[in-house]
Amino acid sequence: PGPVMALRASTRIKELPWSEIRVVMGKAMQMQAEGKKVINWHVGRPGFDTPQHIKDAANAALQAGHVHYGPTPGIPSLREAIAKRSELDWGVPVSADRVVVSNGGMEAVTALTIGLLNPGDEVIMPTPNWPNLYWTMKLLGACPVEVRLKEEQNMIMTAADIEQAITPKTRMVVLSSPGNP
């Protein structure tokens, strides 16, 4: 075998800033380790434990041997339940075959943007926004076009705001509420 080459980070990964939310998380964990009471408002983590019925269902699934890869779009019964819940919550009928389950918001955003965007495509998005969304676009070579949210508009991006930002290179408009999906 030849010599072992040292691994190096790619140029594009070096351009990404460190996640400030992870800095906050590290500080919160340090404070908790020091015995200080901390309310965790970072990384989308709720301030409560997972409800017992969910823990029980997860444990039952493990005990039943459901420990292998599932279908790519998600377990059919889960997709069906999500479709039904979407209709209950928003009054919009959703077919289970249009539901895709991901491991989290970041996986969903990354898969969607890889599938739809090419380098140079523009993505209109509100700002302030979820930094991961912005940097995912940059990482893919897309161009985030940020529309500043205004207090006098209740921090809502309007149709007029979007219309003003559209160019021939616009490929996507991000509508998220709150700013972190």
Side-chain angles (χ1 to χ4, degrees):
V4 176
M5 295 179 61
L7 293 177
R8 62 172 173 74
S10 69
T11 303
R12 74 177 155 253
I13 206 74
K14 288 179 183 177
E15 293 172 2
L16 296 177
W18 185 255
S19 171
E20 290 297 321
I21 199 69
R22 296 290 177 169
V23 172
V24 170
M25 184 176 86
K27 181 68 176 167
M29 292 172 109
Q30 176 187 346
M31 291 170 67
Q32 285 175 318
E34 294 168 358
K36 296 177 181 166
K37 186 174 180 178
V38 175
I39 297 173
N40 293 302
W41 284 0
H42 56 74
V43 295
R45 182 177 139 184
F48 54 86
D49 194 12
T50 302
Q52 190 60 46
H53 72 282
I54 295 173
K55 290 179 183 180
D56 293 343
N59 188 42
L62 290 171
Q63 295 304 319
H66 299 291
V67 296
H68 303 286
Y69 288 111
T72 300
I75 298 167
S77 59
L78 176 58
R79 294 171 66 211
E80 188 67 43
I82 292 169
K84 286 178 184 172
R85 183 63 192 243
S86 295
E87 186 168 359
L88 281 174
D89 288 349
W90 298 295
V92 177
V94 177
S95 172
D97 66 337
R98 297 189 51 93
V99 173
V100 176
V101 178
S102 70
N103 289 319
M106 197 62 233
E107 180 192 15
V109 166
T110 303
L112 179 70
T113 54
I114 286 172
L116 296 177
L117 298 174
N118 288 312
D121 286 345
E122 292 181 352
V123 179
I124 298 170
M125 63 179 65
T127 188
N129 58 42
W130 183 36
N132 291 15
L133 182 61
Y134 176 91
W135 288 107
T136 297
M137 304 307 162
K138 295 292 280 183
L139 185 64
L140 294 173
C143 305
V145 176
E146 295 183 293
V147 174
R148 174 127 333 255
L149 300 179
K150 301 174 189 100
E151 283 187 55
E152 59 270 15
Q153 292 174 196
N154 295 320
M155 302 302 281
I156 295 171
M157 186 167 61
T158 66
D161 293 331
I162 294 168
E163 227 177 314
Q164 248 182 341
I166 292 175
T167 75
K169 292 183 176 184
T170 301
R171 176 79 170 129
M172 182 184 290
V173 177
V174 174
L175 303 173
S176 63
S177 177
N180 180 346

